[in-house]
Structures are given as C-alpha cells and as structure tokens.
Amino acid sequence: MVMNETEWNKSDKGTVQKENPLGIENFFSEEQFARIQELMYPKRAEAGSFLFWEGEPTGKLYYIRSGKVKLRKSTEDGKDFILSILQPGDMLCEPEDGMRGVHSFSAEVIENAELGVIQWKDLEILLYRHGDFAVRFLNWTALMHRVTESKFRDLLLFGKPGALASTLIRLANSYGIACAEGIRISLKLTNAELADFIGTTRESVNRMLNGLKEDGTIDIVKGRIIILNLNALRLMCHCPACPSCPKEVCRI
C-alpha cells in the first residue's frame, strides 16, 4: 500500500504517480469498468473551485482522473467539517434515493483536477441492463457506507485523541509512503485542517500533536507528518484488526 523512500522522493517532484489501491477501478473487472468509462464526459476544474455546494441538486457522479477533491460539511452555526479528501481513482457519488435530491455536503477542488462526469440516469440504465455490474456497484456503495460509519465510530467513542489517532491512521492508509523512519503522509495538511477532520480547534490539535511527538509516536518534517509508531496510534483509537476492519474501510 505504501511506496518506498526513493519512489516518494520522485513522486514529491511530480515524476511518479502513486496508484490508489482503494480506487473504484479495483472493485470492478476490466470489462465492467470499461462500461463506466463509456458513460463519462471530461471536465476540468481548477483548484479553489467547487464541483457542487451543499443543498444543490444531485444527479451526477465524478470520477477523479487527476487532482484532489475535499468533501466538506457545514453546520448551522457555520462550522465546517472535512469528511474526506479524494484522490485519483476515487469516485464521488451521492446517489438519488427517491426521497432527497440535494447534496448533503460540498465538494471543493483543492488541486487542479481532470474528471470523468457521469449522469446518474445513464448509470441507472447500465445497472438495469447488467446484473453483474449492479452487484459490484452495490458492493462498492456498501463499502463506502462502512467507511463513513467507521469514521463516526472513531469520532464518537474514543474522544478527540482517539479521533486524531484514527485520522492519522486513515491518512497513512490513503496517502502513506514507506520511508526509513516509518510512514510518511505525503498529503500536506495544516493543523486547522486536521482539526476540521475531528471537530475540534487548531489549538487542541497543536497540543495533541506535540504530545505525540514527545512520546515518539510521530514526527513532523517540512510540514509533513511521519508516523513512527503505528501501533501506538492503534491503541489510542482501539483500532480493530483485520478482517473486521480491512484496509478498504480504514481510509480517509
């Protein structure tokens, strides 16, 4: 799941593209994924733009070919939570359920992106015509729900330190790169952004990260977090072992 140090150095310069082991392509056969691609039309989006805002009508799916997209949820008092940061290979999907036809979160482009856009009505026809594809798609959507449920579990049950530990583990699974010291998280995040993942303040995250550094659990080099002791983080959030929580679920 992680690259070695040499590959990381190359990828940090933009010369190597890290494969996303949790991308949607891995959940379908080549023939089935080709059917999805046939429905896509290309779209480019610049960093800082929004694919859609919370409350806008649904009806489209977005396959991320390049770039990154941040999913944000706003509360009534104006506070923002980061739900996820999607990378190439991920599919952004909030299907219509017959009762609610608007998005429950916003999608912000944080790195220039190339997308494949699918109309939900076109996908429905594909689901009707190909039972094997429909089963795989259902399995994938069920897995995405498990990802969300596991995040809420960690946020609610083990306090802010456990929630931060869980977030760091998920970042390592999604953006982790093997290095001599441990696992380097290639995605550069501010402490304010980490706070938005777990619903706390930047100051609280500062204190918790400093505590983890003092304990020898993590290090921070040039703004990037290096996990030195993954097991210590697992103990903090009571991380369940596989197969009850496979790597496909423990993702950001």
Side-chain angles (χ1 to χ4, degrees):
M1 181 175 295
V2 295
M3 290 190 293
N4 60 37
E5 180 74 357
T6 301
E7 291 173 318
W8 184 86
N9 290 333
K10 292 180 180 178
S11 66
D12 199 40
K13 297 176 183 177
T15 57
V16 170
Q17 178 72 44
K18 179 184 176 184
E19 181 184 357
N20 179 6
L22 307 180
I24 190 172
E25 185 176 357
N26 297 309
F27 296 88
F28 294 89
S29 68
E30 290 186 8
E31 179 183 355
Q32 291 167 339
F33 188 68
R35 294 172 185 163
I36 299 178
Q37 289 182 306
E38 289 175 358
L39 300 180
M40 297 180 187
Y41 61 87
K43 175 182 175 66
R44 291 185 177 181
E46 295 183 355
S49 64
F50 281 77
L51 299 181
F52 54 80
W53 290 87
E54 184 175 347
E56 288 186 348
T58 58
K60 297 178 182 177
L61 299 85
Y62 300 87
Y63 175 70
I64 303 174
R65 300 185 186 276
S66 65
K68 293 183 177 66
V69 177
K70 179 194 298 182
L71 307 186
R72 296 168 45 185
K73 175 71 177 178
S74 299
T75 63
E76 292 183 357
D77 58 1
K79 183 174 179 56
D80 279 348
F81 288 86
I82 298 178
L83 302 178
S84 184
I85 296 181
L86 305 182
Q87 59 181 305
D90 286 331
M91 175 78 82
L92 174 50
C93 170
E94 194 172 13
E96 299 178 1
D97 54 17
M99 295 179 288
R100 175 180 52 84
V102 297
H103 287 289
S104 58
F105 53 82
S106 302
E108 179 187 2
V109 180
I110 59 174
E111 185 179 286
N112 290 344
E114 293 187 2
L115 310 161
V117 184
I118 302 172
Q119 297 288 339
W120 177 252
K121 292 181 179 180
D122 292 337
L123 182 65
E124 278 188 328
I125 295 173
L126 187 60
L127 294 171
Y128 282 129
R129 290 179 176 175
H130 301 278
D132 58 336
F133 175 86
V135 170
R136 291 287 187 96
F137 188 83
L138 181 62
N139 290 340
W140 175 75
T141 55
L143 179 64
M144 293 301 102
H145 284 299
R146 285 189 62 190
V147 172
T148 302
E149 290 171 0
S150 68
K151 288 181 182 178
F152 282 124
R153 175 199 65 201
D154 294 343
L155 288 173
L156 294 174
L157 297 182
F158 307 116
K160 298 306 181 186
L164 178 61
S166 168
T167 299
L168 293 177
I169 292 171
R170 293 173 186 277
L171 285 168
N173 286 340
S174 300
Y175 294 97
I177 298 161
C179 63
E181 299 88 349
I183 302 174
R184 190 194 315 257
I185 298 174
S186 62
L187 182 65
K188 193 172 184 178
L189 296 170
T190 66
N191 289 355
E193 288 173 318
L194 285 173
D196 287 344
F197 271 110
I198 64 177
T200 190
T201 63
R202 177 179 58 83
E203 292 76 14
S204 294
V205 168
N206 288 344
R207 289 193 295 269
M208 288 187 284
L209 289 177
N210 287 333
L212 292 173
K213 286 180 65 177
E214 292 174 1
D215 294 342
T217 302
I218 68 167
D219 194 8
I220 301 177
V221 178
K222 296 181 179 179
R224 287 186 172 85
I225 296 173
I226 302 175
I227 297 177
L228 307 177
N229 188 343
L230 188 62
N231 286 331
L233 294 177
R234 287 174 173 164
L235 289 174
M236 290 176 61
C237 62
H238 302 263
C239 185
C242 291
S244 60
C245 186
K247 68 180 186 300
E248 290 83 3
V249 171
C250 188
R251 57 177 294 177
I252 200 67

